[in-house]
Amino acid sequence: MNSTILSMIRRVQPIWLFVIVLLVFFGFMSEYFFTASNLFNILIQTSTIGLIALGMTYVMINGNIDLSVGAVVALSAVLAVDLQQYVGIPMAILIALATGTALGFLNGMIVWKTGVNAFIVTLGAMQGVRGLVFVYTEEQSYFAMDFSYSDFGTSTFAGIPTLAIIFLGFALLMHLILTRTVHGRDTYAVGSNIEAALDSGIRAGRHMVINFMIVGFFAALAGITLSMQMGAATPNLGRDYELWTITAVVLGGTKIAGGSGSIIGTLGGVLAIGILRNGMNLLQVPSFYVLVIMGTILITVLMLDQYTTRSKAGREAAA
């Protein structure tokens, strides 16, 4: 019995132990933390970063990164809000999703065909797309005139916020794709060793482009859901979202170098950030302290990851 419990504990990802610690700590510190409304509020608040993180997990396992997601959030939100008065809400949403996916395709194709590092390509895309948003909006905010759009952002299904259901539903779907499909298996293979993957017949470029399209789609979806919550869209929407997203994915155990990671871990990283921000807000702690704490945690995680990687490489060399 004891050996079974120990085995289960070993299989638990460290980020989920951190989540449990946060839940216990803030549960004791605030009587309002474990109320149903506050827990649902955490899910809603984390759903935006969470959706982007699902796609970012695929890209980072593949050995790449996408810094343009925050700008795509802003562009898709602006398109979804502005175009609905001309083509209706459903078509405006489809156009916004298609735009985000197309930008992901463009990023992936440039990285694949030119061999330029994804960091540089998507850094340029981040600046270019953000500039495009300001040109499109003329630095003005757009407001949804159809109240059904913003009503959806606050709606519930069976007592659970609809946006939380969307996030958790996509998390399950992306977990299944990553763990039970050829694309998921090849994503790990390309991230682990692209030369070996190519030698084994895996079309690395194809998987790379698909994963950039996935993160583009989810960044667009996040922008749409965020604009639904606000009932509006601004050109500054999504700033620093790429940093929060990457932090959540890395906290969840995905390696910067690629080849390792999981949606379950990413979900834990997203919830850890959401719980920490929510709990400190309930305790009336200034928000910038969250940045200090998350930065410290992220650096610690990266140092431990680097140490583990070097130790593993040393053992393999000795063998």
Side-chain angles (χ1 to χ4, degrees), residues 26-98:
F26 288 119
F28 275 111
M29 295 299 293
S30 173
E31 60 181 311
Y32 304 107
F33 182 77
F34 274 121
T35 60
S37 60
N38 187 60
L39 294 177
F40 285 149
N41 190 38
I42 291 174
L43 284 176
I44 294 173
Q45 291 173 344
T46 57
S47 64
T48 304
I49 296 296
L51 286 170
I52 309 172
L54 298 179
M56 189 70 78
T57 301
Y58 277 60
V59 170
M60 290 179 65
I61 289 175
N62 225 171
N64 293 301
I65 202 165
D66 191 343
L67 299 178
S68 67
V69 291
V72 174
V73 166
L75 180 60
S76 61
V78 166
L79 289 175
V81 173
D82 182 47
L83 295 180
Q84 61 186 252
Q85 61 183 317
Y86 305 108
V87 297
I89 292 177
M91 183 57 66
I93 290 175
L94 287 176
I95 291 173
L97 290 174

Side-chain angles (χ1 to χ4, degrees), residues 9-22:
I9 292 175
R10 291 191 189 100
R11 287 200 296 269
V12 174
Q13 292 169 304
I15 187 60
W16 284 101
L17 296 177
F18 182 55
V19 169
I20 293 172
V21 170
L22 289 176

Side-chain angles (χ1 to χ4, degrees), residues 124-141:
M126 175 183 71
Q127 295 173 328
V129 174
R130 182 68 68 178
L132 181 62
V133 174
F134 276 97
V135 171
Y136 182 92
T137 62
E138 298 181 347
E139 302 185 38
Q140 301 298 312
S141 298

Side-chain angles (χ1 to χ4, degrees), residues 98-283:
T99 300
T101 306
L103 289 171
F105 173 79
L106 182 61
N107 284 337
M109 288 297 291
I110 294 174
V111 172
W112 175 27
K113 294 296 185 180
T114 66
V116 178
N117 189 281
F119 182 93
I120 302 300
V121 172
T122 58
L123 179 62
M126 175 183 71
Q127 295 173 328
V129 174
R130 182 68 68 178
L132 181 62
V133 174
F134 276 97
V135 171
Y136 182 92
T137 62
E138 298 181 347
E139 302 185 38
Q140 301 298 312
S141 298
Y142 289 159
F143 299 91
M145 304 308 293
D146 190 333
F147 291 120
S148 64
Y149 186 77
S150 54
D151 287 344
F152 185 84
T154 58
S155 64
T156 61
F157 181 80
I160 302 174
T162 305
L163 297 184
I165 294 174
I166 291 173
F167 167 49
L168 295 175
F170 272 114
L172 175 60
L173 175 62
M174 300 312 291
H175 168 71
L176 294 176
I177 292 174
L178 191 59
T179 57
R180 301 188 182 183
T181 67
V182 173
H183 176 69
R185 182 195 65 199
D186 290 348
T187 293
Y188 282 107
V190 172
S192 296
N193 190 322
I194 189 169
E195 289 80 12
L198 290 170
D199 290 341
S200 63
I202 295 175
R203 299 170 65 183
R206 176 174 173 270
H207 291 290
M208 189 182 301
V209 172
I210 289 174
N211 288 332
F212 271 106
M213 291 174 68
I214 289 173
V215 75
F217 169 84
F218 277 115
L221 181 60
I224 293 166
T225 59
L226 185 58
S227 67
M228 286 177 171
Q229 295 178 54
M230 299 171 56
T234 68
N236 279 313
L237 209 63
R239 282 200 181 276
D240 297 331
Y241 274 31
E242 58 279 346
L243 302 180
W244 283 108
T245 301
I246 293 169
T247 299
V249 175
V250 172
L251 287 178
T254 299
K255 293 183 179 297
I256 293 289
S260 178
S262 69
I263 294 297
I264 300 299
T266 293
L267 182 59
V270 169
L271 289 176
I273 291 176
I275 292 169
L276 186 60
R277 294 174 72 177
N278 176 270
M280 293 188 75
N281 183 55
L282 288 177
L283 298 180

